[in-house]
Amino acid sequence: MAARNLTCLHAEVRRGSRYPALRITPCSFTGAILAAAVVVAGSAAAAPAVSFKKKVIDERFLAESIAVADVNRDGKPDLIVGPYWIQGPEFTKKIETRAALAYDKESYSDAFITAAMDVDGDGWIDSVQVGWPGRAALWFKNPGKAGGDWPRFVVHPAVGTESPELVSLIAGQAPALIFATNKKLGYATVDRAHPEAPWTFHAISGEGEWQRYTHGIGAGDINGDGRADLLCYKGWWEQPASLAGDPEWKFHPVNFGDGGAQMYAYDVNGDGRADVISSIDAHKYGLSWFEQIAPAAGATEPTWREHIILSRDPAEKINDVQFSQPHATVLADIDGDGLLDIVTGKRHWAHGSHGDPESTAAPVLYWFRLVRDPATHEAHYEPHLIDNDSGVGTKFAVADLNGDGLPDVAVANKHGVFVFLQQRTP
């Protein structure tokens, strides 16, 4: 999937803590970014000073999500948000892809998840949008140079889970949409010969507790066999060597929290094993990385050690940072050191102005810099505030929006549509 000028923190064991992996002592495009990540040494070297210039694109509630892609093939990234694509790099010209509508901020939009993909293989980027959880996902065909209407087609009539994602799941195939439907977890694939037809759903599990509001899902190669596995907050599903006949994937139970947002497999500490990064509860608190530890002698399953970045305890601040509702996360190399950092924030008014813990608190947006010691394979994250008046929705994007080679951030939620252009000084 298919990337991360405060006091540094170091994670150690604290006796008697409800979070035994942590003691604080003194001493920061999605799926494709993961695939391009490399393991490098020396990340603890002095980092450049990173800041962001905020640009308000629209103060209306257009969608809970946003995607970045070159819609008109002019070589410059554009934004896709709700009923519009917004032309870059100025982001002032809005072109309708469907009937334009702004939503009540105390309610919900019909674009919980927005993604960009050339669905039909004609060379033009289309828009894929998932509405209310459990309802239909649609794709809107880019009309290309002719302009005009964006015809809509059904991806799947009932897409559950709150963070379905287009990911590079099957080698050599177009991105697949991962989600749950009819109490089963799985993925849907497009038939490029008949792209207007609904996508084919492939269940990887039997019937379970999957319901339309389930949180926490992702994909990545956990066991290093070169095949992407499917992650959920209860563990991971191992992709088999052959998918003929749609076999059920082997499930490996692991407690990765209570159901957060997008989940990622990434080697955080550089020991050669994929770890898991996940927010803990989309509507409460917590963000952690789970270290994969090689199986003990005679065992076949690895063990997992949680390293806490943001506490599950609302009263506990780590490095003076705590916020609720981390309902969207992205991995990206923000500072250019070759390591993937975490970008996340507080979802603004997930259930209206009074529906969640600290609903009226500042909608913050942070990036957490990954710092790795290549000699000891220890790692920790340093928080850096991007903004305190925007937050996240259910999906956002990190990409170079102005062609300067630096990753920027695009966000859409009930507070509006925002772009944050990175500024960097040595």
Side-chain angles (χ1 to χ4, degrees), residues 25 70 100 103 139 148 211 293 295 329 374 418:
T25 56
D70 183 3
Y103 296 88
W139 73 276
Q211 45 91 7
I293 300 172
T329 58
F418 308 92

Side-chain angles (χ1 to χ4, degrees), residues 137-151:
L138 306 172
W139 73 276
F140 298 82
K141 179 178 172 58
N142 188 335
K145 291 182 179 180
D149 293 340
W150 288 53

Side-chain angles (χ1 to χ4, degrees), residues 135-138 154-159 177 179 181-182 188 198-201:
R135 297 181 184 173
L138 306 172
V154 173
V155 171
H156 192 277
V159 174
L177 184 68
F179 61 98
T181 188
N182 294 323
W199 298 15
T200 301
F201 181 74

Side-chain angles (χ1 to χ4, degrees), residues 46-213:
V50 173
S51 61
F52 290 86
K53 181 179 180 181
K54 181 178 182 179
K55 185 172 184 177
V56 180
I57 306 302
D58 200 308
E59 295 182 340
R60 297 174 296 169
F61 173 28
L62 300 178
E64 291 272 15
S65 58
I66 193 168
V68 173
D70 183 3
V71 173
N72 58 352
R73 298 205 314 196
D74 66 353
K76 300 173 183 177
D78 309 300
L79 307 178
I80 302 175
V81 54
Y84 298 105
W85 73 272
I86 305 174
Q87 187 171 334
E90 295 82 10
F91 305 116
T92 55
K93 183 179 180 181
K94 300 181 178 68
I95 299 93
E96 291 184 15
T97 60
R98 54 188 175 88
L101 178 64
Y103 296 88
D104 180 357
K105 295 184 179 183
E106 291 283 0
S107 186
Y108 305 93
S109 77
D110 63 354
F112 268 66
I113 298 294
T114 301
M117 173 183 171
D118 182 6
V119 175
D120 54 3
D122 66 353
W124 293 87
I125 292 294
D126 309 300
S127 171
V128 178
Q129 295 193 350
V130 182
W132 191 282
R135 297 181 184 173
L138 306 172
W139 73 276
F140 298 82
K141 179 178 172 58
N142 188 335
K145 291 182 179 180
D149 293 340
W150 288 53
R152 70 177 64 192
F153 304 93
V154 173
V155 171
H156 192 277
V159 174
T161 65
E162 291 211 10
S163 299
E165 185 87 351
L166 275 174
V167 298
S168 296
L169 187 66
I170 310 302
Q173 293 188 14
L177 184 68
I178 56 174
F179 61 98
T181 188
N182 294 323
K183 299 182 179 180
K184 294 183 178 182
L185 186 65
Y187 63 97
T189 54
V190 62
D191 179 357
R192 279 276 172 78
H194 305 282
E196 298 85 1
W199 298 15
T200 301
F201 181 74
H202 308 266
I204 69 163
S205 74
E207 287 193 2
E209 300 176 3
W210 308 105
Q211 45 91 7
R212 61 180 180 168
Y213 299 120

Side-chain angles (χ1 to χ4, degrees), residues 1 161 165 167 169 176-180 185-188 201-205 210 216-222 227-239 249-252 256 263:
M1 176 179 308
T161 65
E165 185 87 351
V167 298
L169 187 66
L177 184 68
I178 56 174
F179 61 98
L185 186 65
Y187 63 97
F201 181 74
H202 308 266
I204 69 163
S205 74
W210 308 105
I217 191 171
D221 183 3
I222 293 293
R227 296 185 292 271
D229 308 301
L230 205 150
L231 312 175
C232 71
Y233 70 100
K234 292 186 175 182
W236 60 283
W237 300 82
E238 181 180 346
Q239 183 177 156
W249 296 15
K250 182 180 178 181
F251 180 60
H252 302 261
F256 290 132
M263 300 177 67

Side-chain angles (χ1 to χ4, degrees), residues 7-15 17 19-28 268-269 287-291 305-311 316 318-319 369-373 376-383:
T7 304
C8 166
L9 296 183
H10 184 66
E12 299 177 9
V13 173
R14 178 173 61 187
R15 294 180 180 175
S17 171
Y19 310 123
L22 190 73
R23 178 166 70 93
I24 305 304
T25 56
C27 7
S28 217
V268 173
N269 58 0
L287 174 69
S288 295
W289 71 275
F290 296 82
E291 179 185 1
R305 179 184 297 131
E306 181 178 5
H307 298 264
I308 297 171
I309 303 167
L310 292 172
S311 175
E316 181 180 13
I318 297 176
N319 208 18
R369 179 177 181 253
L370 172 57
V371 179
R372 179 193 291 172
D373 186 331
T376 63
H377 295 308
E378 293 184 350
H380 65 271
Y381 287 90
E382 299 174 350

